[in-house]
Every structure is written in C-alpha cells, then in structure tokens.
Amino acid sequence: MNYDLFDELANTPAQLEEIEPGVVLLRGAANHLATDIHQQLDAILNISPFRHMFTPGGRRMAVATSSCGPYGWISDKNGYRYHSADPLTEQPWPAMPANWARLASESALHAGFPDFLPDSCLINRYQTDTQLSLHQDKNERDFKHPIVSVSLGLSAQFLLGGMRREDASRKIPLMHGDVLVWGNQSRLRFHGISRIQCGYHPLFGDCRINLTFRRAN
C-alpha cells in the first residue's frame, strides 16, 4: 500500500502531530469525507440503530453506540466483547463502507502503521454533557494493530492517560475531521473523553460522532 492509492487523503492538507510515541494526530484528515460519511451513517443506523448498552455490572452507558463491519463491539452482563451479529436485530452488522475502511487504513499508514485492515468500526454518539471515563481498548485479539479514531461533529477533549488508570492524563482537543491513531507502546494507554460542551455542528447537529476502527479478530 502507498499514499497514492487514496488520492483524497494524500491531497488533504492534514497536519500530522506526534503527541506521544505511538500516538499521532492527523488534523482535518477526514474533512473531505464528512458529507459522504454523514449519508452512509444514516443508512447504517437504519439497519443497526444507536442504543445504550449496559456494563457487565448493570450500569447503562451514557454513550450511544452502533457498529459496522464483520464484527461489532458489545457489552452486557456477559462482558465486553466482539460479535458478528447485532444483538438488537440478531442480524449481521451493516457492511463497513469501503471509503471508511480506506480512510482508516491510510490514516494508519500516514501515522506509521502499515497494513492496517480494520474489521470493526464502533460508532459512538456523544450528546451534550456526555463523557467517557478512562478505559483501555483490550478486547481485540492482537494488540499489534493500532486504533484509528475519527472525530465528527462537535469538538471534544480527548483524555490520554498512561498504562495505569491512576496515571495522569493530558487533554488533546479534537475537532471535526480530526483522526487520532495510537499503537505500539501506546496501544494500551488509558483514554477517555471529557464532558461534551453544548454546541451545534452544521452537518452532525448537536452531537459528536466518533468512528473507532479496530482489528478485532
């Protein structure tokens, strides 16, 4: 794979910033696809709507979720895991749009992670006052693959912690169109999202949409 395979991303004036070793921010890298993503998201949600899952301990999650791709991330009394069927519909998750997968793969490549082929996209919706506490992404089979996170709609403060929950975290502002990639020694860093502030985005309205691409299996 090389940069020329995805001309749109290669020609996007994205600003690359290494936040920490293994953590790379591509400012504005998804801007050129935002309208397409918005339309494709509507089609995905018509098949697998947003829902509020429950933690294994029975707590309702504040962030509404859906998924697309061969595997979707789910949570219930049986734990956190990936599954090939949507538990709400008992049907396979909607297919991941090809331009989404290519955005994730090419963003990973630009960040220094070649040959990333996502098989799961977790779709999170953050509304005003919603936040996500520090956690690790550790339900995937092989941690050699990075995480690629695409921010759309309202801005957010990404919390990047350390390898322990009690480690101090730093705030990274994420705006519409930003893509954050982390892997290697930073793959299992704790991370989260500060409380979303009230606002309105002309395309995505009064919420933040986050697409998190992973290699689950």
Side-chain angles (χ1 to χ4, degrees), residues 95-183:
M96 186 187 305
N99 56 342
W100 293 25
R102 294 179 72 187
L103 172 66
S105 295
E106 291 292 335
S107 295
L109 180 58
H110 276 267
F113 300 95
D115 304 319
F116 174 60
L117 299 174
D119 60 7
S120 178
C121 176
L122 175 64
I123 306 167
N124 286 336
R125 182 185 66 192
Y126 296 81
Q127 294 182 303
T128 301
D129 289 335
T130 302
Q131 61 184 341
L132 186 62
S133 60
L134 290 172
H135 65 282
Q136 294 172 301
D137 288 353
K138 59 179 182 179
N139 304 124
E140 299 74 37
R141 176 170 294 185
D142 192 337
F143 298 149
K144 72 179 181 182
H145 303 289
I147 304 294
V148 177
S149 175
V150 178
S151 294
L152 300 162
L154 296 182
S155 60
Q157 295 286 342
F158 184 85
L159 303 176
L160 180 65
M163 304 305 291
R164 302 175 304 165
R165 189 182 299 276
E166 60 268 26
D167 290 343
S169 60
R170 60 182 293 187
K171 290 185 177 181
I172 303 169
L174 295 179
M175 275 76 80
H176 172 75
D178 288 348
V179 180
L180 187 66
V181 183
W182 65 96

Side-chain angles (χ1 to χ4, degrees), residues 25-64:
L25 176 59
L26 298 167
R27 290 265 182 223
N31 280 336
H32 65 288
L33 281 179
T35 299
D36 290 342
I37 290 174
H38 182 266
Q39 295 172 348
Q40 292 162 328
L41 180 60
D42 283 344
I44 288 169
L45 296 176
N46 282 335
I47 300 171
S48 289
F50 278 126
R51 79 290 309 266
H52 292 271
M53 294 187 184
F54 288 84
T55 68
R59 181 176 59 85
R60 180 179 183 269
M61 293 184 171
V63 178

